């Protein structure tokens, strides 16, 4: 699978009891607060693991 790895974070906002995430390429996701909190934790956990991979260090040197 080919995909572009984004280096810019999306935006999140709360509106009418839901969390709306606006990402790159016009991607938008609406989630319940509980689902958004769970996804946020999973993303933080995955980011910590990915940051230890040698490939991540290489991308920091050559964006």
């Amino acid at each position: 699978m080919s995909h572009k790895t984004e280096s810019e974070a999306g935006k999140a906002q709360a509106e009418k009891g839901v969390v709306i995430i606006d990402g790159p390429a016009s991607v938008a996701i609406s989630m319940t607060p509980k689902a958004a909190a769970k996804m946020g934790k999973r993303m933080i956990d995955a980011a910590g693991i990915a940051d230890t991979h040698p490939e991540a260090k290489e991308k920091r040197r050559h964006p």
Side-chain angles (χ1 to χ4, degrees):
M1 176 196 303
S2 177
H3 62 280
K4 180 182 177 213
T5 302
E6 293 295 334
S7 59
E8 295 295 320
K11 297 177 183 174
Q13 62 186 27
E15 188 174 306
K16 297 183 181 180
V18 299
V19 176
I20 301 168
I21 301 165
D22 292 316
S26 301
V27 173
I29 302 170
S30 297
M31 304 178 120
T32 65
K34 185 176 180 178
K38 189 177 230 181
M39 184 173 182
K41 182 183 179 332
R42 288 177 178 170
M43 290 181 73
I44 290 168
D45 292 346
I49 293 167
D51 201 38
T52 67
H53 294 177
E55 298 89 347
K57 293 179 175 106
E58 182 64 25
K59 288 181 190 221
R60 283 193 292 271
R61 280 188 231 131
H62 306 285

